[in-house]
């Protein structure tokens, strides 16, 4: 495959990467919200509070575990976005220099 044949394929991938990176702010906000929720739940648990009546979880431990999973997932998404940013730089270089 020549550079000219690869160029449209790389340009398509580049567009998708740029769309994906736009979600970085959303992930940061979700992680911040989850960390605040985690802090609140840990305080409620320590203070011996009861679970809210409409709570879908059977215990604070179960709820805390779920929030920790969501934080980890968000952090993994941010790590992926970091790699995508590096790919964007490389793809933009290729597109600009492909002959």
């Amino acid at each position: 495959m020549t550079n000219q044949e690869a160029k449209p394929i790389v340009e398509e991938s580049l567009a998708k990467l740029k769309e994906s990176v736009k979600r970085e702010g959303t992930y940061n906000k979700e992680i911040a919200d989850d960390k605040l929720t985690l802090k609140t739940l840990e305080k409620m648990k320590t203070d011996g509070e009861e679970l809210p009546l409409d709570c879908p979880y059977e215990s604070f431990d179960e709820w805390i575990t779920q929030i920790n999973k969501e934080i980890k997932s968000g952090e993994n998404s941010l790590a992926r976005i970091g790699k995508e940013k590096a790919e964007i730089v490389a793809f933009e270089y290729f597109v600009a220099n492909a002959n």
Side-chain angles (χ1 to χ4, degrees):
M1 175 178 283
T2 67
N3 285 349
Q4 287 303 317
E5 292 169 329
K7 188 173 179 178
I9 297 167
V10 171
E11 288 173 327
E12 183 180 332
S13 295
L14 181 58
K16 289 178 183 177
L17 289 170
K18 286 181 177 182
E19 282 301 311
S20 178
V21 167
K22 288 180 182 179
R23 293 189 287 261
E24 182 177 24
T26 302
Y27 287 123
N28 280 319
K29 185 178 181 320
E30 288 175 1
I31 290 170
D33 290 346
D34 287 342
K35 286 182 177 182
L36 181 60
T37 299
L38 182 61
K39 185 176 179 180
T40 301
L41 291 174
E42 288 171 343
K43 183 172 180 350
M44 290 171 70
K45 179 183 173 185
T46 300
D47 291 348
E49 293 186 34
E50 296 288 324
L51 288 171
L53 293 176
D54 59 347
C55 179
Y57 301 100
E58 294 184 21
S59 69
F60 279 108
D61 290 335
E62 181 183 355
W63 199 351
I64 288 169
T65 297
Q66 181 58 37
I67 295 296
N68 279 320
K69 287 178 184 176
E70 291 174 20
I71 291 169
K72 181 70 174 168
S73 175
E75 289 170 343
N76 288 341
S77 294
L78 288 176
R80 185 194 75 246
I81 285 173
K83 291 176 186 175
E84 289 173 342
K85 286 179 177 182
E87 291 173 345
I88 287 170
V89 171
F91 287 2
E92 285 177 337
Y93 180 84
F94 174 81
V95 169
N97 294 293
N99 296 322

